[in-house]
Amino acid sequence: MELPNGGVNVQPLRNFINGVFVPAVSGSLMDTTNPATGEVITQLPLSKAEDVALATQAACNALPGWKSTTLEERIEWLEKIADVLEEKSEDIARLETLDTGKPISLSRRVDAYRSVANFRFFAEHATELPNLQYEANGAVNHVHRSPVGCVGLITPWNLPLYLLSWKVAPALLMGNTIVAKPSEMTPLTANLLAETMAELGLPHGVFNLVHGLGPDVGQAIVEHPDIQAISFTGGTATGRIVAATAAPMFKKLSLELGGKNATVLLDDAPLDSIMDDLVRASFTNSGQVCLAGSRILVHNAIYDEFEQRFVEAVNALVVGDPQDEQTQMGAVISRDHQSKVESYITLGLEEGGRVIAGGTSAQVPFPNLPSQGAFIRPTVIAGLPISCRTATEEIFGPVVTLHRFNDEDEAVAMVNATDYGLAGSVWTASANRGHAFAQRMDSGIVWVNTWLNRDLRTPFGGVKQSGVGREGGLWSMNFFSELTNVCVQR
Ligand code: NAD
């Protein structure tokens, strides 16, 4: 007989406030569901502003003690957290697959790996923080760095612990205390992180976790006057609400938002060697990656050959049970999200497109997968104008559109014809040509002949409506610290 939750034991979750696991003050709970089966995994607290107030009080109380620790002591904490998370890698992968419906191989390779790597990276790179001094006019300017204070961290469902740890590690390192809120759809690994903090005996109140809905818990974090900075990753529409609330309070704000990223194949793109990468850039995590290439722009000279080979490669992807090691694409995050993504496939047809691979689950059903599972085949739509809604709005699912161009100027105009500017990639036999093209793209990150090749020291973030501010290396450490200057006359 199949064990519930694939044999993973998941107890009802509680908030983690002041070093103790507690229910929401109201006692209310909500379900979290496995999107691959539609089954309830467990319950989490349906917290409100009163729970955020308790967590913030705990974080404020813990701040003086935590900020008085040395950088070396905090580096040691990060290393200890990384060690324990590494021991729990398989648990992280299993919980992430249960919560998100992503393939277990992906959860191991990306989610579990990066969650550990984020803590290790910031522990190692803290020692490279520059000690800045400037001399002029007979005086020495000493640049000092102090924590911002109590910070709010709000994260989405697509890479749950990967993105939470990307904020928690630099925030702790720079001496801040934390009130964190994971997505209500994927709370399991945030809970694992809280358990890890408790096992290690991190001082009470330094890391607090409040579960619940965005408009309740997220909004209460952003509104709380004692939270001095907000680091938010999520959709552009939510980012707009977060900014509208935080800006008049003059909070430090980092917004990592949505994207509609272009993958550009110049006329010399080496099709023989890049097809796997292009499929990966389009459909990793069912396309639910903010950096996914969801619009593929191809030079006319190679378009026909590309289209045929790409469709073949896409149709060969194994869509199935996320627990199966062979599965390459699992479920999308929920039935609601499935409906949203499928409505874009329908819209694509209405806007004049041709579905040349995949289609909605009604058009191409999955006879061997749970009927309540949120599965969609990898879908490719050709023949759409670049300015239509399907080609300009973020779908955040396994749907890509293909477009032709005649020359580089036209391609640049097509790339830049969206409100977003997060990421993109260029594929060409000439690295120099690719590099030159990349600099004409309105995009925070461009990869030339690669995709999702991440060096954690580099600035990460979007332009236009894809975000405000940068994360990564020194940029994260700067965000989570206040730089002040003392000028000493000699
Ligand atoms: P979302 O905006 O719906 O939710 C993100 C988080 O914000 C969740 O924890 C949610 O509960 C919370 N939230 C909702 N309303 C809130 C409010 N009023 N105040 C404060 N918090 C609130 O996003 P999602 O659907 O969870 O994630 C998908 C989106 O995230 C996509 O648009 C994707 O592109 C984006 N994303 C961006 C990056 C990046 O680095 N730029 C990375 C991953 C995902």
Side-chain angles (χ1 to χ4, degrees), residues 155-157 181 184 214 218-219 232-235 238 257-258 290 394 460:
T155 48
W157 47 258
K181 183 223 169 300
E184 59 278 15
Q219 185 72 23
F232 171 86
T233 300
T238 317
L257 308 178
C290 56
E394 187 185 45
F460 177 96

Side-chain angles (χ1 to χ4, degrees), residues 154-159 163 181-185 212-215 217-219 222 232-236 238-239 241-242 256-259 289-290 394 396 422 460 466 471:
I154 302 172
T155 48
W157 47 258
N158 65 326
L159 292 156
L163 289 173
K181 183 223 169 300
S183 169
E184 59 278 15
M185 285 191 275
L213 299 174
V217 176
Q219 185 72 23
V222 179
F232 171 86
T233 300
T236 294
T238 317
I241 298 171
V242 170
E256 300 289 345
L257 308 178
V289 179
C290 56
E394 187 185 45
F396 215 57
L422 186 55
F460 177 96
S466 287
E471 294 186 334

Side-chain angles (χ1 to χ4, degrees), residues 295-371:
R295 300 180 293 151
I296 307 187
L297 318 185
V298 188
H299 193 280
N300 240 329
I302 57 168
Y303 181 92
D304 291 335
E305 184 186 352
F306 163 78
E307 182 183 295
Q308 186 227 323
R309 290 170 76 161
F310 187 66
V311 166
E312 266 170 37
V314 170
N315 285 335
L317 279 174
V318 179
V319 184
D321 176 0
Q323 309 286 349
D324 187 330
E325 312 270 340
Q326 304 308 315
T327 294
Q328 293 172 297
M329 228 183 79
V332 296
I333 190 65
S334 65
R335 293 289 288 226
D336 283 350
H337 192 56
Q338 177 185 358
S339 299
K340 178 195 152 189
V341 173
E342 293 191 335
S343 76
Y344 272 103
I345 301 175
T346 308
L347 178 68
L349 290 168
E350 288 164 10
E351 289 183 317
R354 285 174 294 119
V355 172
I356 55 175
T360 64
S361 56
Q363 292 160 345
V364 210
F366 291 93
N368 301 324
L369 290 172
S371 61

Side-chain angles (χ1 to χ4, degrees), residues 236-256:
T236 294
T238 317
R240 195 169 284 122
I241 298 171
V242 170
T245 310
M249 300 174 82
F250 304 108
K251 295 191 181 199
K252 244 184 144 175
L253 193 56
S254 169
L255 298 172
E256 300 289 345

Side-chain angles (χ1 to χ4, degrees), residues 135-157:
E135 280 193 54
N137 312 324
V140 182
N141 289 276
H142 302 265
V143 179
H144 293 284
R145 191 180 281 277
S146 53
V148 183
C150 172
V151 299
L153 312 181
I154 302 172
T155 48
W157 47 258

